[in-house]
Amino acid sequence: MPHADTTAAPSLNQRISGYGKKLTKSERRLIEELQAHHPQGLLESATSLARKVGTSASTVVRLLAKLGYASYAQAQMEARAEVTALLASPATRADAVIGDDTSVRSCLDNALLHDQHNLAATFAALDVDAFEASVKLLTQRKVRVHVLGQRHGVPLASHLALHLNLCLPDVRLLGGAGPLPLEDQLLRIDENDLLLTPTFRRHSLAIARTAAYFRERGAKVVMVTDSPTAPAAASANHLLLVRTSSASPFDSYTAALSVCNALITAVAQRRKKELAAAFERGAPLWEPHWNDAARPSETSGR
């Protein structure tokens, strides 16, 4: 079976260093300007960038084409991804990512380009050894898997818990609106437990404290995160790093969801019998209106 091409696209500086052909004087001035002010310099229009070095917008576009970019928009997308990766809050990122083109088509194209870049960069850089070790921990026979998400990680935590529950005998979604507060759900954590947590900026201190507690109790921690310096990272046995750059002021979790899906798939492959048994037991439970049939009729007793 052929492998997917997950090679990350080369950066601007890599493209420049790898370009061996002769450049014109205008192109050399452009190169100097781009390198001196990268990545912010590419956030300007081609016309504005050209004016700074006394050349034309068409020269800017031709140079970027020589360097391997499909369009000026693609080069800008790469620059925005680098800028937004450094900016911590939606407020500081708004000016960097919201351009003059407010068309719906532009929103669609930019979202697709950013997510394609995130996916390629994430899977090219993913620590395969950490991924394999995480799957091994998740599929240990006596493991109790606790999934915890806060803020932006809540949907991913629910997704992980829902599907891992079909493959593994003891999966618990921590937090939520149940009767027990989080700290009471951790009373019996020991070496047979594993915390699986997606966490992204602005990182939750509750996750950092929970991860530290798991390690204190001899349990394991697997983390899907956007930063190796996240507060909880110091407590993780294994980190799965993802890219979250976006065409909007807000992060994109497409690559994080894809890594979570890969985890689920790897676990399912190693627990085929358990998954088949779960589907068989679940079939009658998932019949339409099963919940309605289980409740007393609204007319009973009349």
Side-chain angles (χ1 to χ4, degrees), residues 62-108:
R62 281 198 302 271
L63 172 62
L64 291 172
K66 288 180 180 180
L67 294 176
Y69 289 103
S71 65
Y72 190 74
Q74 185 191 31
Q76 281 195 313
M77 180 277 295
E78 179 189 286
R80 284 195 182 106
E82 293 188 35
V83 170
T84 57
L86 300 174
L87 299 177
S89 72
T92 58
R93 293 167 62 184
D95 289 340
V97 298
I98 297 178
D100 297 330
D101 185 355
T102 57
S103 68
V104 171
R105 182 75 258 174
S106 174
C107 292
L108 289 169

Side-chain angles (χ1 to χ4, degrees), residues 101-162:
D101 185 355
T102 57
S103 68
V104 171
R105 182 75 258 174
S106 174
C107 292
L108 289 169
D109 290 343
N110 282 332
L112 176 61
L113 286 170
H114 274 78
D115 281 344
Q116 286 175 331
H117 179 75
N118 286 341
L119 286 164
T122 293
F123 280 85
L126 191 69
D127 187 337
V128 177
D129 291 337
F131 183 87
E132 291 180 350
S134 299
V135 173
K136 185 176 180 180
L137 288 176
L138 285 164
T139 52
Q140 288 181 335
R141 288 296 174 185
K142 294 183 179 180
V143 70
R144 293 186 295 264
V145 178
H146 305 260
V147 188
L148 175 63
Q150 298 280 303
R151 296 176 58 82
H152 308 301
V154 170
L156 287 177
S158 298
H159 180 76
L160 284 163
L162 176 67

Side-chain angles (χ1 to χ4, degrees), residues 199-233:
T199 177
F200 311 101
R201 63 173 172 186
R202 309 167 176 173
H203 295 275
S204 164
L205 289 179
I207 287 181
R209 292 168 182 151
T210 301
Y213 181 74
F214 266 70
R215 292 304 301 274
E216 288 171 10
R217 302 294 297 171
K220 301 295 191 293
V221 177
V222 173
M223 191 175 302
V224 180
T225 185
D226 56 353
S227 173
T229 61

Side-chain angles (χ1 to χ4, degrees), residues 256-291:
L257 178 60
S258 190
V259 169
C260 290
N261 283 338
L263 268 180
I264 293 166
T265 301
V267 170
Q269 288 176 340
R270 287 155 179 77
R271 291 292 178 265
K272 291 181 181 178
K273 291 182 180 179
E274 292 84 349
L275 180 60
F279 280 137
E280 184 176 353
R281 288 192 299 271
L285 299 175
W286 300 324
E287 286 294 327
H289 311 303
W290 185 85
N291 285 334

Side-chain angles (χ1 to χ4, degrees), residues 176-194:
L180 294 178
L182 176 59
E183 54 270 27
D184 286 85
Q185 298 177 50
L186 306 179
L187 290 176
R188 294 176 178 82
I189 299 301
D190 61 28
E191 64 274 8
N192 292 317
D193 293 284
L194 181 148

